[in-house]
Amino acid sequence: MSTGTTTLTDRKAKAWFWPALFSLMAFAANSVFCRLALKDGAIDPALFTVVRLASGALFLLLLIRLRKPALGIGGSWRGGLALFLYAFLFSAAYLQLGAGAGALLLFGAVQITMFGFAWFKGERITARMLLGMLIAFAGLLVLLLPGAAAPPLSSALLMALSGMAWGVYTLLGRGSPRPLADTAGNFARSLPCLALLLPVLLLGAGPHLTPPGLLYALGSGVLASGAGYAVWYGVVRQVSAQQAATMQLSVPVIAALGGVVLIGEPLSLRLLIACVVVLGGIALALAPRR
């Protein structure tokens, strides 16, 4: 009986492993695509956000039409606003942040936001979870300490706010009965929010777009956001919440490696130490009790 159960468990693990790996690579690709687009001014942050959200919404709506034509969109206006704030602040922060440092700040802020929400709602917080989150927070402080390798404080704060917005967006979607439809609806509802970027586009240096910048933004919207989110929602149905959260801890490391290999960014000792401290602290907080 135990052999049969083990075989069944292995088959289930194999069923979600590759889709999960694709999703995690897609999440990291968002950081790499955005940094590639903004590093040399191929596109401005506001226009990158417009193309990303619009292309992601179109992809998800077409996906629903092809898979389940009778299925309407879901989501909420709060979800659309949180998605818009995350995407724009994400783009603005990457003007000066490296791919790895940005992803580390983003996911650190996400976990701290969700931890704070759980504490506010009165969920039981164990001493190990509290210690793990304090360690993770200390790792973020290591990254932000003044020095030659420290990221600009203004960009770091923008990315932290982006992570908070993504944390709120994630919390709004907990227990969604129709995750794909709700995601498509949130993307669609984020589009009217793009009107808030008109002053940025008109009063600033103006919109700037090149063919490479457009391709990077489309890659972020269709592949890294639209396809990545759609596949990820299929994965989270098959794994526990702790497994899903723990798997996402690999994203900053993947993004950092992508920045080194694809963009030529330096892998500083400070970033390595911060990665180890933050990911170790979050892993301690999320690890199941033996």
Side-chain angles (χ1 to χ4, degrees), residues 11-121:
R11 289 177 180 175
K12 289 182 178 180
K14 291 179 181 178
W16 58 256
F17 176 78
W18 292 111
L21 181 60
F22 171 81
S23 298
L24 297 174
M25 295 290 288
F27 296 161
N30 261 326
S31 295
V32 176
F33 277 135
C34 190
R35 185 59 183 149
L36 281 169
L38 301 177
K39 180 173 67 76
D40 296 322
I43 189 174
D44 62 277
L47 202 53
F48 184 92
T49 304
V50 171
V51 175
R52 178 186 177 186
L53 292 179
S55 61
L58 179 60
F59 172 81
L60 289 169
L61 292 173
L62 289 175
L63 185 63
I64 289 178
R65 178 68 62 181
L66 293 174
R67 294 181 58 185
K68 298 180 180 180
L71 182 64
I73 64 172
S76 66
W77 286 105
R78 289 185 301 171
L81 177 61
L83 180 63
F84 162 76
L85 290 174
Y86 149 73
F88 175 63
L89 294 172
F90 179 90
S91 302
Y94 263 126
L95 277 172
Q96 295 180 296
L97 289 177
L104 183 62
L105 287 166
L106 177 72
F107 281 89
V110 168
Q111 296 296 337
I112 291 173
T113 299
M114 298 184 71
F115 174 79
F117 177 82
W119 176 79
F120 176 76
K121 297 296 288 186

Side-chain angles (χ1 to χ4, degrees), residues 123-189:
E123 295 183 15
R124 182 173 177 270
I125 305 298
T126 64
R128 184 187 57 188
M129 181 177 292
L130 180 61
L131 176 61
M133 296 310 298
L134 289 176
I135 292 174
F137 186 71
L140 293 179
L141 292 180
V142 168
L143 183 65
L144 298 176
L145 286 175
L153 183 59
S154 59
S155 296
L157 290 176
L158 287 176
M159 188 59 82
L161 291 173
S162 177
M164 293 173 63
W166 181 255
V168 171
Y169 178 80
T170 302
L171 291 168
L172 288 173
R174 289 198 310 175
S176 170
R178 303 186 304 161
L180 181 58
D182 287 342
T183 304
N186 288 332
F187 264 82
R189 287 179 173 83

Side-chain angles (χ1 to χ4, degrees), residues 19-20 23-24 27 227-237 244-245 247-248:
S23 298
L24 297 174
F27 296 161
Y229 297 169
V231 173
W232 179 247
Y233 281 135
V235 172
V236 295
R237 293 181 179 182
M247 282 190 288
Q248 291 184 83

Side-chain angles (χ1 to χ4, degrees), residues 98-102 104 143 149 251-276:
L104 183 62
L143 183 65
V251 175
V253 179
I254 299 173
L257 294 176
V260 172
V261 175
L262 300 175
I263 310 176
E265 295 179 345
L267 189 60
S268 67
L269 180 60
R270 182 194 292 250
L271 178 59
L272 284 174
I273 294 174
C275 278
V276 171

Side-chain angles (χ1 to χ4, degrees), residues 195-255:
L196 298 174
L197 297 181
L198 285 177
V200 178
L201 292 170
L202 297 178
L203 300 179
H208 176 68
L209 177 66
T210 64
L214 177 61
L215 290 177
Y216 292 139
L218 288 174
S220 177
V222 175
L223 297 177
S225 297
Y229 297 169
V231 173
W232 179 247
Y233 281 135
V235 172
V236 295
R237 293 181 179 182
Q238 306 176 63
V239 300
S240 69
Q242 285 192 350
Q243 285 176 314
T246 303
M247 282 190 288
Q248 291 184 83
L249 301 182
S250 64
V251 175
V253 179
I254 299 173

